[in-house]
Amino acid sequence: MTSKVNFVQINQEQSSSNNNAIDSEGNGMKTMATLLQNSIQGVQNSFSSVYTTLAANLKQSLEMTHTMNSVMEQFLLSNLRITSNITQIHKLETRGNFIPSLLTITIINSGQFPIPNISCSITFVKKDHNEPVNIGVECKESIKRGITNPDSETTSISSIFVPKTSTTTSIFTLSPQTQIIEKLKLAPSEFCQYNAKVNVRFASPGTGELLQKEHSFGLYLIDQCEKSVRFESQLTKYECSHVIVELSPYLLRQLWNVHPSSGLSEAMTFEISWKNEIYSLIHIKKWIGADKSKVLCQVLHFNNAKSSSEIIDRIVEELKVLSTNKNKF
């Protein structure tokens, strides 16, 4: 009886020991699983932190790159300048429908970096109707030279506005501290006022996006007329209508190419003609103001036709506006 009890007790103890071993092994597995889970979570947190930091750095780098590109683009555009000027030439230098005026366009890079892959274009629209029109353009001269030294070497180049063929576009690089000066002859199909625009385009060095800069100017009726100077003290012999206007003596000198050493006098008469037909004569009546900044002029109309009278009226208005616009010259 005693032996049987001991056997049962031994079995119970072994069973309890086995259960304890199983429990201990289970607890160890749980502990290991917990440690493994914590380790994985730690690694995930570390990677998440790395990814977050990397994303923030990449975003900051992209923003910095974008800012640098934007600054460089603004820098190049601010150093790119466009100017225009219209001067009279002798009618013997023209042919066909070309007007006796020369359009000079200057493209300047005043910065320290080259501007590559530049292309240029010029467009004209009728002022009254805002309609794009085709105007004949012929290059008289195109040169490149430095801007710091007036006596710097001048190099003749191909036209940047008039391509060799109708299917090609002139592409060029404008070096630092360099300017391109191009002189163009114009042949409008109609005698009217035009608004013109010069467009200079180039690709951004950073993004490749197209950047552009524009310059606008007017092609006036007075620019298209032939202008000459007579020496007649009196115009009373001409029987025609006239108006009295105040004009700038500086404007008269510039438009009629009167040399500064010659000055202006009341013996001068300024002739305006179109295709060998005299439209008007302008005669200085007297100087105005203590500084003589204005002259009182008599403008005579030679053609009584309504269309001619309207043209003269518009030319007079142009002269009055240009006399108050110091930026024109």
Side-chain angles (χ1 to χ4, degrees):
M1 184 69 179
T2 302
S3 176
K4 185 176 181 180
V5 170
N6 290 337
F7 178 77
V8 171
Q9 185 177 0
I10 290 171
N11 287 339
Q12 288 177 346
E13 290 176 354
Q14 288 179 345
S15 176
S16 176
S17 176
N18 290 337
N19 289 337
N20 290 336
I22 293 173
D23 290 342
S24 177
E25 184 178 353
N27 291 334
M29 292 295 292
K30 288 181 179 179
T31 302
M32 185 179 296
T34 301
L35 291 174
L36 183 60
Q37 183 178 2
N38 292 337
S39 297
I40 293 174
Q41 185 66 41
V43 171
Q44 288 178 338
N45 291 338
S46 297
F47 275 114
S48 177
S49 177
V50 170
Y51 288 144
T52 301
T53 303
L54 181 60
N57 290 339
L58 286 175
K59 181 180 179 182
Q60 185 178 8
S61 178
L62 288 173
E63 290 176 350
M64 185 176 297
T65 301
H66 177 74
T67 301
M68 291 179 63
N69 286 335
S70 179
V71 170
M72 176 59 75
E73 291 172 358
Q74 293 303 316
F75 183 76
L76 293 176
L77 286 171
S78 64
N79 287 318
L80 181 65
R81 294 189 289 119
I82 310 167
T83 65
S84 64
N85 187 34
I86 298 177
T87 55
Q88 182 176 336
I89 57 176
H90 198 278
K91 66 178 181 180
L92 295 179
E93 297 183 55
T94 64
R95 57 180 176 78
N97 293 325
F98 286 95
I99 60 175
S101 291
L102 200 63
L103 170 62
T104 301
I105 299 176
T106 305
I107 312 293
I108 304 169
N109 178 10
S110 59
Q112 302 299 323
F113 298 96
I115 305 178
N117 300 321
I118 297 179
S119 63
C120 301
S121 64
I122 180 170
T123 55
F124 295 88
V125 297
K126 285 185 180 180
K127 183 179 179 181
D128 292 339
H129 308 289
N130 201 29
E131 298 175 359
V133 294
N134 291 323
I135 287 184
V137 179
E138 181 181 285
C139 179
K140 182 177 186 293
E141 181 184 49
S142 186
I143 61 172
K144 179 172 64 175
R145 70 182 184 194
I147 63 175
T148 55
N149 183 5
D151 299 324
S152 60
E153 182 181 357
T154 298
T155 305
S156 296
I157 61 173
S158 300
S159 171
I160 61 176
F161 288 100
V162 185
K164 294 181 179 180
T165 64
S166 58
T167 58
T168 60
T169 302
S170 177
I171 305 293
F172 62 95
T173 295
L174 191 57
S175 302
Q177 300 291 303
T178 302
Q179 60 184 335
I180 291 178
I181 304 171
E182 185 149 320
K183 297 181 179 181
L184 302 170
K185 295 180 181 180
L186 305 176
S189 58
E190 187 177 344
F191 186 48
C192 63
Q193 295 170 322
Y194 298 92
N195 289 327
K197 182 181 294 183
V198 176
N199 194 306
V200 178
R201 299 172 297 275
F202 62 95
S204 167
T207 64
E209 293 183 3
L210 193 63
L211 306 177
Q212 65 178 9
K213 195 161 190 177
E214 296 178 345
H215 168 75
S216 299
F217 64 94
L219 179 61
Y220 301 99
L221 293 174
I222 191 64
D223 293 325
Q224 302 170 57
C225 291
E226 183 184 353
K227 299 173 284 292
S228 58
V229 178
R230 297 184 183 184
F231 288 89
E232 299 183 52
S233 59
Q234 297 293 330
L235 297 180
T236 54
K237 62 181 180 180
Y238 298 105
E239 295 181 0
C240 53
S241 58
H242 69 274
V243 294
I244 303 296
V245 295
E246 293 182 10
L247 298 177
S248 163
Y250 184 56
L251 174 70
L252 295 176
R253 283 197 297 268
Q254 290 292 322
L255 289 178
W256 274 266
N257 289 339
V258 178
H259 195 275
S261 62
S262 301
L264 299 179
S265 71
E266 295 179 6
M268 287 182 174
T269 298
F270 302 89
E271 180 181 297
I272 301 173
S273 61
W274 169 254
K275 292 186 176 180
N276 298 321
E277 179 183 354
I278 298 176
Y279 271 99
S280 178
L281 293 177
I282 300 176
H283 174 62
I284 296 177
K285 300 288 288 183
K286 65 177 182 179
W287 296 81
I288 301 175
D291 58 353
K292 295 184 178 181
S293 60
K294 295 283 186 178
V295 285
L296 194 66
C297 297
Q298 180 184 20
V299 182
L300 281 72
H301 296 211
F302 275 91
N303 195 322
N304 292 324
K306 182 179 179 181
S307 58
S308 297
S309 180
E310 290 176 351
I311 288 174
I312 293 300
D313 289 340
R314 296 176 74 174
I315 290 177
V316 169
E317 287 302 313
E318 287 180 355
L319 293 174
K320 290 165 64 176
V321 171
L322 293 175
S323 291
T324 59
N325 185 3
K326 296 181 180 179
N327 294 327
K328 168 64 179 175
F329 298 99

